[in-house]
PDB file of all heavy atoms in Angstrom:
ATOM      1  N   LEU A1286       2.771  13.403   7.775  1.00 98.00           N
ATOM      2  CA  LEU A1286       2.389  12.149   8.428  1.00 98.00           C
ATOM      3  C   LEU A1286       0.842  11.894   8.302  1.00 98.00           C
ATOM      4  O   LEU A1286       0.410  10.773   8.617  1.00 98.00           O
ATOM      5  CB  LEU A1286       2.760  12.169   9.892  1.00 98.00           C
ATOM      6  CG  LEU A1286       4.272  12.337  10.214  1.00 98.00           C
ATOM      7  CD1 LEU A1286       4.530  12.124  11.676  1.00 98.00           C
ATOM      8  CD2 LEU A1286       5.076  11.323   9.381  1.00 98.00           C
ATOM      9  N   LEU A1287       0.131  12.824   7.745  1.00 98.00           N
ATOM     10  CA  LEU A1287      -1.275  12.563   7.453  1.00 98.00           C
ATOM     11  C   LEU A1287      -1.452  11.677   6.198  1.00 98.00           C
ATOM     12  O   LEU A1287      -2.524  11.144   5.941  1.00 98.00           O
ATOM     13  CB  LEU A1287      -2.042  13.912   7.240  1.00 98.00           C
ATOM     14  CG  LEU A1287      -2.334  14.733   8.462  1.00 98.00           C
ATOM     15  CD1 LEU A1287      -2.872  16.097   8.069  1.00 98.00           C
ATOM     16  CD2 LEU A1287      -3.292  14.027   9.397  1.00 98.00           C
ATOM     17  N   GLN A1288      -0.372  11.512   5.436  1.00 98.00           N
ATOM     18  CA  GLN A1288      -0.401  10.731   4.185  1.00 98.00           C
ATOM     19  C   GLN A1288       0.678   9.627   4.204  1.00 98.00           C
ATOM     20  O   GLN A1288       1.536   9.593   3.335  1.00 98.00           O
ATOM     21  CB  GLN A1288      -0.206  11.666   2.990  1.00 98.00           C
ATOM     22  CG  GLN A1288      -1.274  12.745   2.948  1.00 98.00           C
ATOM     23  CD  GLN A1288      -1.169  13.560   1.641  1.00 98.00           C
ATOM     24  OE1 GLN A1288      -1.210  13.010   0.544  1.00 98.00           O
ATOM     25  NE2 GLN A1288      -1.135  14.868   1.780  1.00 98.00           N
ATOM     26  N   LEU A1289       0.678   8.763   5.222  1.00 98.00           N
ATOM     27  CA  LEU A1289       1.657   7.768   5.427  1.00 98.00           C
ATOM     28  C   LEU A1289       1.758   6.783   4.257  1.00 98.00           C
ATOM     29  O   LEU A1289       2.880   6.431   3.827  1.00 98.00           O
ATOM     30  CB  LEU A1289       1.458   7.063   6.752  1.00 98.00           C
ATOM     31  CG  LEU A1289       1.828   7.892   7.988  1.00 98.00           C
ATOM     32  CD1 LEU A1289       1.373   7.148   9.272  1.00 98.00           C
ATOM     33  CD2 LEU A1289       3.325   8.165   8.028  1.00 98.00           C
ATOM     34  N   PRO A1290       0.644   6.239   3.719  1.00 98.00           N
ATOM     35  CA  PRO A1290       0.835   5.312   2.599  1.00 98.00           C
ATOM     36  C   PRO A1290       1.501   5.940   1.383  1.00 98.00           C
ATOM     37  O   PRO A1290       2.331   5.262   0.747  1.00 98.00           O
ATOM     38  CB  PRO A1290      -0.662   4.935   2.297  1.00 98.00           C
ATOM     39  CG  PRO A1290      -1.373   5.171   3.590  1.00 98.00           C
ATOM     40  CD  PRO A1290      -0.719   6.324   4.176  1.00 98.00           C
ATOM     41  N   PHE A1291       1.193   7.178   1.125  1.00 98.00           N
ATOM     42  CA  PHE A1291       1.888   7.887   0.035  1.00 98.00           C
ATOM     43  C   PHE A1291       3.355   8.062   0.313  1.00 98.00           C
ATOM     44  O   PHE A1291       4.192   7.826  -0.539  1.00 98.00           O
ATOM     45  CB  PHE A1291       1.191   9.295  -0.214  1.00 98.00           C
ATOM     46  CG  PHE A1291       2.015  10.214  -1.007  1.00 98.00           C
ATOM     47  CD1 PHE A1291       2.099  10.022  -2.382  1.00 98.00           C
ATOM     48  CD2 PHE A1291       2.694  11.276  -0.439  1.00 98.00           C
ATOM     49  CE1 PHE A1291       2.874  10.923  -3.175  1.00 98.00           C
ATOM     50  CE2 PHE A1291       3.467  12.124  -1.197  1.00 98.00           C
ATOM     51  CZ  PHE A1291       3.532  11.948  -2.593  1.00 98.00           C
ATOM     52  N   LEU A1292       3.638   8.495   1.568  1.00 98.00           N
ATOM     53  CA  LEU A1292       5.074   8.649   1.981  1.00 98.00           C
ATOM     54  C   LEU A1292       5.830   7.300   1.827  1.00 98.00           C
ATOM     55  O   LEU A1292       6.984   7.313   1.335  1.00 98.00           O
ATOM     56  CB  LEU A1292       5.117   9.074   3.427  1.00 98.00           C
ATOM     57  CG  LEU A1292       5.310  10.556   3.788  1.00 98.00           C
ATOM     58  CD1 LEU A1292       5.454  10.685   5.262  1.00 98.00           C
ATOM     59  CD2 LEU A1292       6.467  11.178   3.063  1.00 98.00           C
ATOM     60  N   LEU A1293       5.205   6.231   2.189  1.00 98.00           N
ATOM     61  CA  LEU A1293       5.919   4.943   2.116  1.00 98.00           C
ATOM     62  C   LEU A1293       6.244   4.618   0.655  1.00 98.00           C
ATOM     63  O   LEU A1293       7.402   4.251   0.365  1.00 98.00           O
ATOM     64  CB  LEU A1293       5.021   3.848   2.682  1.00 98.00           C
ATOM     65  CG  LEU A1293       5.556   2.401   2.637  1.00 98.00           C
ATOM     66  CD1 LEU A1293       6.877   2.330   3.380  1.00 98.00           C
ATOM     67  CD2 LEU A1293       4.540   1.402   3.155  1.00 98.00           C
ATOM     68  N   ASP A1294       5.337   4.761  -0.236  1.00 98.00           N
ATOM     69  CA  ASP A1294       5.576   4.431  -1.620  1.00 98.00           C
ATOM     70  C   ASP A1294       6.623   5.367  -2.194  1.00 98.00           C
ATOM     71  O   ASP A1294       7.496   4.949  -2.939  1.00 98.00           O
ATOM     72  CB  ASP A1294       4.282   4.544  -2.451  1.00 98.00           C
ATOM     73  CG  ASP A1294       3.444   3.291  -2.341  1.00 98.00           C
ATOM     74  OD1 ASP A1294       3.789   2.439  -1.503  1.00 98.00           O
ATOM     75  OD2 ASP A1294       2.432   3.188  -3.063  1.00 98.00           O
ATOM     76  N   LEU A1295       6.562   6.659  -1.861  1.00 98.00           N
ATOM     77  CA  LEU A1295       7.489   7.632  -2.370  1.00 98.00           C
ATOM     78  C   LEU A1295       8.956   7.310  -1.873  1.00 98.00           C
ATOM     79  O   LEU A1295       9.867   7.301  -2.699  1.00 98.00           O
ATOM     80  CB  LEU A1295       7.088   9.033  -1.903  1.00 98.00           C
ATOM     81  CG  LEU A1295       8.065  10.174  -2.273  1.00 98.00           C
ATOM     82  CD1 LEU A1295       8.145  10.351  -3.808  1.00 98.00           C
ATOM     83  CD2 LEU A1295       7.665  11.489  -1.606  1.00 98.00           C
ATOM     84  N   PHE A1296       9.066   7.090  -0.599  1.00 98.00           N
ATOM     85  CA  PHE A1296      10.380   6.854  -0.050  1.00 98.00           C
ATOM     86  C   PHE A1296      11.003   5.501  -0.501  1.00 98.00           C
ATOM     87  O   PHE A1296      12.205   5.397  -0.637  1.00 98.00           O
ATOM     88  CB  PHE A1296      10.324   6.965   1.485  1.00 98.00           C
ATOM     89  CG  PHE A1296      10.364   8.342   2.001  1.00 98.00           C
ATOM     90  CD1 PHE A1296      10.243   9.492   1.146  1.00 98.00           C
ATOM     91  CD2 PHE A1296      10.554   8.613   3.363  1.00 98.00           C
ATOM     92  CE1 PHE A1296      10.234  10.744   1.664  1.00 98.00           C
ATOM     93  CE2 PHE A1296      10.572   9.887   3.876  1.00 98.00           C
ATOM     94  CZ  PHE A1296      10.444  10.969   3.012  1.00 98.00           C
ATOM     95  N   LYS A1297      10.170   4.526  -0.713  1.00 98.00           N
ATOM     96  CA  LYS A1297      10.668   3.299  -1.274  1.00 98.00           C
ATOM     97  C   LYS A1297      11.323   3.533  -2.660  1.00 98.00           C
ATOM     98  O   LYS A1297      12.382   3.018  -2.973  1.00 98.00           O
ATOM     99  CB  LYS A1297       9.542   2.263  -1.404  1.00 98.00           C
ATOM    100  CG  LYS A1297       9.174   1.537  -0.116  1.00 98.00           C
ATOM    101  CD  LYS A1297       8.070   0.484  -0.360  1.00 98.00           C
ATOM    102  CE  LYS A1297       7.782  -0.307   0.845  1.00 98.00           C
ATOM    103  NZ  LYS A1297       6.721  -1.313   0.618  1.00 98.00           N
ATOM    104  N   GLU A1298      10.651   4.315  -3.455  1.00 98.00           N
ATOM    105  CA  GLU A1298      11.186   4.632  -4.793  1.00 98.00           C
ATOM    106  C   GLU A1298      12.438   5.479  -4.658  1.00 98.00           C
ATOM    107  O   GLU A1298      13.384   5.320  -5.465  1.00 98.00           O
ATOM    108  CB  GLU A1298      10.090   5.353  -5.630  1.00 98.00           C
ATOM    109  CG  GLU A1298       8.908   4.513  -5.995  1.00 98.00           C
ATOM    110  CD  GLU A1298       9.340   3.239  -6.754  1.00 98.00           C
ATOM    111  OE1 GLU A1298      10.152   3.290  -7.668  1.00 98.00           O
ATOM    112  OE2 GLU A1298       8.850   2.133  -6.328  1.00 98.00           O
ATOM    113  N   CYS A1299      12.445   6.424  -3.707  1.00 98.00           N
ATOM    114  CA  CYS A1299      13.649   7.236  -3.528  1.00 98.00           C
ATOM    115  C   CYS A1299      14.843   6.387  -3.130  1.00 98.00           C
ATOM    116  O   CYS A1299      15.981   6.588  -3.618  1.00 98.00           O
ATOM    117  CB  CYS A1299      13.393   8.269  -2.389  1.00 98.00           C
ATOM    118  SG  CYS A1299      12.333   9.658  -2.885  1.00 98.00           S
ATOM    119  N   LYS A1300      14.614   5.381  -2.283  1.00 98.00           N
ATOM    120  CA  LYS A1300      15.728   4.535  -1.809  1.00 98.00           C
ATOM    121  C   LYS A1300      16.237   3.662  -2.938  1.00 98.00           C
ATOM    122  O   LYS A1300      17.418   3.313  -2.989  1.00 98.00           O
ATOM    123  CB  LYS A1300      15.271   3.708  -0.619  1.00 98.00           C
ATOM    124  CG  LYS A1300      15.201   4.482   0.664  1.00 98.00           C
ATOM    125  CD  LYS A1300      16.537   5.144   0.912  1.00 98.00           C
ATOM    126  CE  LYS A1300      16.539   6.224   1.971  1.00 98.00           C
ATOM    127  NZ  LYS A1300      17.754   6.999   1.997  1.00 98.00           N
ATOM    128  N   LYS A1301      15.394   3.310  -3.907  1.00 97.00           N
ATOM    129  CA  LYS A1301      15.868   2.610  -5.107  1.00 97.00           C
ATOM    130  C   LYS A1301      16.884   3.417  -5.864  1.00 97.00           C
ATOM    131  O   LYS A1301      17.770   2.816  -6.529  1.00 97.00           O
ATOM    132  CB  LYS A1301      14.679   2.202  -5.978  1.00 97.00           C
ATOM    133  CG  LYS A1301      13.771   1.148  -5.431  1.00 97.00           C
ATOM    134  CD  LYS A1301      12.629   0.873  -6.409  1.00 97.00           C
ATOM    135  CE  LYS A1301      11.615  -0.131  -5.777  1.00 97.00           C
ATOM    136  NZ  LYS A1301      10.455  -0.356  -6.670  1.00 97.00           N
ATOM    137  N   LEU A1302      16.751   4.715  -5.767  1.00 96.00           N
ATOM    138  CA  LEU A1302      17.630   5.622  -6.473  1.00 96.00           C
ATOM    139  C   LEU A1302      18.780   6.125  -5.555  1.00 96.00           C
ATOM    140  O   LEU A1302      19.576   6.950  -5.986  1.00 96.00           O
ATOM    141  CB  LEU A1302      16.883   6.821  -7.010  1.00 96.00           C
ATOM    142  CG  LEU A1302      15.799   6.480  -8.080  1.00 96.00           C
ATOM    143  CD1 LEU A1302      14.942   7.714  -8.395  1.00 96.00           C
ATOM    144  CD2 LEU A1302      16.436   5.949  -9.344  1.00 96.00           C
ATOM    145  N   GLY A1303      18.802   5.667  -4.318  1.00 96.00           N
ATOM    146  CA  GLY A1303      19.861   6.092  -3.394  1.00 96.00           C
ATOM    147  C   GLY A1303      19.708   7.522  -2.873  1.00 96.00           C
ATOM    148  O   GLY A1303      20.702   8.144  -2.542  1.00 96.00           O
ATOM    149  N   ILE A1304      18.453   8.008  -2.834  1.00 97.00           N
ATOM    150  CA  ILE A1304      18.216   9.404  -2.457  1.00 97.00           C
ATOM    151  C   ILE A1304      17.974   9.522  -0.977  1.00 97.00           C
ATOM    152  O   ILE A1304      17.194   8.759  -0.363  1.00 97.00           O
ATOM    153  CB  ILE A1304      17.005   9.944  -3.203  1.00 97.00           C
ATOM    154  CG1 ILE A1304      17.253   9.929  -4.746  1.00 97.00           C
ATOM    155  CG2 ILE A1304      16.651  11.363  -2.772  1.00 97.00           C
ATOM    156  CD1 ILE A1304      16.037  10.229  -5.568  1.00 97.00           C
ATOM    157  N   HIS A1305      18.638  10.471  -0.350  1.00 98.00           N
ATOM    158  CA  HIS A1305      18.447  10.793   1.067  1.00 98.00           C
ATOM    159  C   HIS A1305      17.019  11.327   1.315  1.00 98.00           C
ATOM    160  O   HIS A1305      16.553  12.181   0.574  1.00 98.00           O
ATOM    161  CB  HIS A1305      19.483  11.840   1.520  1.00 98.00           C
ATOM    162  CG  HIS A1305      19.451  12.227   2.965  1.00 98.00           C
ATOM    163  ND1 HIS A1305      18.567  13.168   3.475  1.00 98.00           N
ATOM    164  CD2 HIS A1305      20.186  11.800   4.030  1.00 98.00           C
ATOM    165  CE1 HIS A1305      18.750  13.271   4.757  1.00 98.00           C
ATOM    166  NE2 HIS A1305      19.749  12.480   5.139  1.00 98.00           N
ATOM    167  N   THR A1306      16.361  10.809   2.353  1.00 98.00           N
ATOM    168  CA  THR A1306      14.961  11.169   2.578  1.00 98.00           C
ATOM    169  C   THR A1306      14.766  11.857   3.943  1.00 98.00           C
ATOM    170  O   THR A1306      15.276  11.413   4.969  1.00 98.00           O
ATOM    171  CB  THR A1306      14.041   9.884   2.554  1.00 98.00           C
ATOM    172  OG1 THR A1306      14.597   8.934   3.486  1.00 98.00           O
ATOM    173  CG2 THR A1306      14.027   9.294   1.129  1.00 98.00           C
ATOM    174  N   THR A1307      13.947  12.895   3.905  1.00 98.00           N
ATOM    175  CA  THR A1307      13.697  13.708   5.117  1.00 98.00           C
ATOM    176  C   THR A1307      12.213  14.005   5.245  1.00 98.00           C
ATOM    177  O   THR A1307      11.567  14.324   4.216  1.00 98.00           O
ATOM    178  CB  THR A1307      14.511  15.022   5.108  1.00 98.00           C
ATOM    179  OG1 THR A1307      15.904  14.718   5.158  1.00 98.00           O
ATOM    180  CG2 THR A1307      14.170  15.896   6.281  1.00 98.00           C
ATOM    181  N   ILE A1308      11.670  13.948   6.427  1.00 98.00           N
ATOM    182  CA  ILE A1308      10.303  14.391   6.724  1.00 98.00           C
ATOM    183  C   ILE A1308      10.400  15.612   7.686  1.00 98.00           C
ATOM    184  O   ILE A1308      11.070  15.588   8.680  1.00 98.00           O
ATOM    185  CB  ILE A1308       9.495  13.313   7.432  1.00 98.00           C
ATOM    186  CG1 ILE A1308       9.382  12.038   6.555  1.00 98.00           C
ATOM    187  CG2 ILE A1308       8.147  13.800   7.818  1.00 98.00           C
ATOM    188  CD1 ILE A1308       8.756  10.855   7.253  1.00 98.00           C
ATOM    189  N   ASP A1309       9.707  16.667   7.315  1.00 98.00           N
ATOM    190  CA  ASP A1309       9.554  17.881   8.163  1.00 98.00           C
ATOM    191  C   ASP A1309       8.174  17.736   8.817  1.00 98.00           C
ATOM    192  O   ASP A1309       7.178  17.881   8.147  1.00 98.00           O
ATOM    193  CB  ASP A1309       9.711  19.113   7.321  1.00 98.00           C
ATOM    194  CG  ASP A1309       9.558  20.343   8.169  1.00 98.00           C
ATOM    195  OD1 ASP A1309       9.524  20.282   9.408  1.00 98.00           O
ATOM    196  OD2 ASP A1309       9.539  21.446   7.553  1.00 98.00           O
ATOM    197  N   SER A1310       8.154  17.559  10.119  1.00 98.00           N
ATOM    198  CA  SER A1310       6.879  17.287  10.810  1.00 98.00           C
ATOM    199  C   SER A1310       6.758  18.026  12.141  1.00 98.00           C
ATOM    200  O   SER A1310       7.777  18.206  12.870  1.00 98.00           O
ATOM    201  CB  SER A1310       6.748  15.767  11.069  1.00 98.00           C
ATOM    202  OG  SER A1310       5.616  15.465  11.836  1.00 98.00           O
ATOM    203  N   SER A1311       5.585  18.338  12.480  1.00 96.00           N
ATOM    204  CA  SER A1311       5.282  18.897  13.803  1.00 96.00           C
ATOM    205  C   SER A1311       4.885  17.787  14.773  1.00 96.00           C
ATOM    206  O   SER A1311       4.783  18.015  15.993  1.00 96.00           O
ATOM    207  CB  SER A1311       4.127  19.915  13.773  1.00 96.00           C
ATOM    208  OG  SER A1311       2.896  19.251  13.495  1.00 96.00           O
ATOM    209  N   GLY A1312       4.628  16.587  14.238  1.00 96.00           N
ATOM    210  CA  GLY A1312       4.122  15.532  15.080  1.00 96.00           C
ATOM    211  C   GLY A1312       2.706  15.694  15.483  1.00 96.00           C
ATOM    212  O   GLY A1312       2.161  15.007  16.374  1.00 96.00           O
ATOM    213  N   GLY A1313       2.005  16.678  14.885  1.00 96.00           N
ATOM    214  CA  GLY A1313       0.655  17.038  15.265  1.00 96.00           C
ATOM    215  C   GLY A1313      -0.394  15.963  15.118  1.00 96.00           C
ATOM    216  O   GLY A1313      -1.455  15.990  15.765  1.00 96.00           O
ATOM    217  N   CYS A1314      -0.100  14.983  14.244  1.00 97.00           N
ATOM    218  CA  CYS A1314      -1.100  13.896  14.067  1.00 97.00           C
ATOM    219  C   CYS A1314      -0.594  12.573  14.642  1.00 97.00           C
ATOM    220  O   CYS A1314      -1.199  11.535  14.391  1.00 97.00           O
ATOM    221  CB  CYS A1314      -1.486  13.798  12.628  1.00 97.00           C
ATOM    222  SG  CYS A1314      -0.139  13.166  11.541  1.00 97.00           S
ATOM    223  N   TYR A1315       0.460  12.611  15.412  1.00 98.00           N
ATOM    224  CA  TYR A1315       1.047  11.399  15.981  1.00 98.00           C
ATOM    225  C   TYR A1315       0.014  10.700  16.854  1.00 98.00           C
ATOM    226  O   TYR A1315      -0.708  11.325  17.652  1.00 98.00           O
ATOM    227  CB  TYR A1315       2.284  11.692  16.792  1.00 98.00           C
ATOM    228  CG  TYR A1315       2.865  10.480  17.409  1.00 98.00           C
ATOM    229  CD1 TYR A1315       3.541   9.486  16.687  1.00 98.00           C
ATOM    230  CD2 TYR A1315       2.741  10.243  18.775  1.00 98.00           C
ATOM    231  CE1 TYR A1315       4.112   8.356  17.234  1.00 98.00           C
ATOM    232  CE2 TYR A1315       3.273   9.079  19.376  1.00 98.00           C
ATOM    233  CZ  TYR A1315       3.967   8.163  18.613  1.00 98.00           C
ATOM    234  OH  TYR A1315       4.506   7.022  19.209  1.00 98.00           O
ATOM    235  N   SER A1316      -0.035   9.373  16.731  1.00 97.00           N
ATOM    236  CA  SER A1316      -1.020   8.608  17.470  1.00 97.00           C
ATOM    237  C   SER A1316      -0.456   7.247  17.874  1.00 97.00           C
ATOM    238  O   SER A1316       0.440   6.713  17.126  1.00 97.00           O
ATOM    239  CB  SER A1316      -2.248   8.410  16.575  1.00 97.00           C
ATOM    240  OG  SER A1316      -3.138   7.444  17.138  1.00 97.00           O
ATOM    241  N   THR A1317      -0.910   6.701  18.933  1.00 97.00           N
ATOM    242  CA  THR A1317      -0.516   5.366  19.325  1.00 97.00           C
ATOM    243  C   THR A1317      -1.453   4.315  18.828  1.00 97.00           C
ATOM    244  O   THR A1317      -1.343   3.111  19.157  1.00 97.00           O
ATOM    245  CB  THR A1317      -0.460   5.261  20.878  1.00 97.00           C
ATOM    246  OG1 THR A1317      -1.708   5.631  21.427  1.00 97.00           O
ATOM    247  CG2 THR A1317       0.647   6.157  21.443  1.00 97.00           C
ATOM    248  N   ALA A1318      -2.438   4.704  18.003  1.00 98.00           N
ATOM    249  CA  ALA A1318      -3.349   3.766  17.378  1.00 98.00           C
ATOM    250  C   ALA A1318      -2.564   2.725  16.573  1.00 98.00           C
ATOM    251  O   ALA A1318      -1.595   3.087  15.865  1.00 98.00           O
ATOM    252  CB  ALA A1318      -4.342   4.468  16.456  1.00 98.00           C
ATOM    253  N   PRO A1319      -2.923   1.414  16.643  1.00 98.00           N
ATOM    254  CA  PRO A1319      -2.149   0.382  16.003  1.00 98.00           C
ATOM    255  C   PRO A1319      -1.884   0.580  14.522  1.00 98.00           C
ATOM    256  O   PRO A1319      -0.758   0.399  14.021  1.00 98.00           O
ATOM    257  CB  PRO A1319      -2.971  -0.885  16.189  1.00 98.00           C
ATOM    258  CG  PRO A1319      -3.757  -0.577  17.501  1.00 98.00           C
ATOM    259  CD  PRO A1319      -4.019   0.897  17.463  1.00 98.00           C
ATOM    260  N   LEU A1320      -2.918   1.016  13.735  1.00 98.00           N
ATOM    261  CA  LEU A1320      -2.690   1.219  12.333  1.00 98.00           C
ATOM    262  C   LEU A1320      -1.715   2.341  12.049  1.00 98.00           C
ATOM    263  O   LEU A1320      -0.821   2.167  11.186  1.00 98.00           O
ATOM    264  CB  LEU A1320      -4.052   1.536  11.604  1.00 98.00           C
ATOM    265  CG  LEU A1320      -3.943   1.777  10.137  1.00 98.00           C
ATOM    266  CD1 LEU A1320      -3.353   0.583   9.382  1.00 98.00           C
ATOM    267  CD2 LEU A1320      -5.326   2.126   9.546  1.00 98.00           C
ATOM    268  N   PHE A1321      -1.835   3.492  12.788  1.00 98.00           N
ATOM    269  CA  PHE A1321      -0.899   4.554  12.553  1.00 98.00           C
ATOM    270  C   PHE A1321       0.509   4.120  12.962  1.00 98.00           C
ATOM    271  O   PHE A1321       1.455   4.406  12.192  1.00 98.00           O
ATOM    272  CB  PHE A1321      -1.264   5.761  13.472  1.00 98.00           C
ATOM    273  CG  PHE A1321      -0.409   6.990  13.261  1.00 98.00           C
ATOM    274  CD1 PHE A1321      -0.762   7.890  12.270  1.00 98.00           C
ATOM    275  CD2 PHE A1321       0.731   7.173  13.983  1.00 98.00           C
ATOM    276  CE1 PHE A1321       0.027   9.059  12.073  1.00 98.00           C
ATOM    277  CE2 PHE A1321       1.542   8.257  13.776  1.00 98.00           C
ATOM    278  CZ  PHE A1321       1.191   9.206  12.798  1.00 98.00           C
ATOM    279  N   GLN A1322       0.665   3.416  14.043  1.00 98.00           N
ATOM    280  CA  GLN A1322       1.991   2.946  14.474  1.00 98.00           C
ATOM    281  C   GLN A1322       2.608   1.962  13.410  1.00 98.00           C
ATOM    282  O   GLN A1322       3.773   2.031  13.103  1.00 98.00           O
ATOM    283  CB  GLN A1322       1.901   2.205  15.817  1.00 98.00           C
ATOM    284  CG  GLN A1322       1.682   3.167  16.982  1.00 98.00           C
ATOM    285  CD  GLN A1322       2.947   3.918  17.361  1.00 98.00           C
ATOM    286  OE1 GLN A1322       4.047   3.335  17.464  1.00 98.00           O
ATOM    287  NE2 GLN A1322       2.795   5.225  17.536  1.00 98.00           N
TER     288      GLN A1322
END
């Protein structure tokens, strides 16, 4: 989750191929800041 823009582009491409997507996270960088949300 420290690299959300990268994750977004990657998962968009995965979904074009019908690939199941999973994130393994501790939630350690979770924030209520507007941009992060």
Side-chain angles (χ1 to χ4, degrees):
L1286 300 187
L1287 287 172
Q1288 302 187 53
L1289 286 170
F1291 165 75
L1292 262 185
L1293 178 61
D1294 279 8
L1295 175 66
F1296 280 9
K1297 280 183 175 180
E1298 293 303 313
C1299 286
K1300 284 305 167 191
K1301 289 178 184 178
L1302 298 171
I1304 299 172
H1305 182 277
T1306 53
T1307 295
I1308 298 171
D1309 180 7
S1310 174
S1311 70
C1314 68
Y1315 178 72
S1316 169
T1317 56
L1320 179 59
F1321 185 90
Q1322 287 286 313

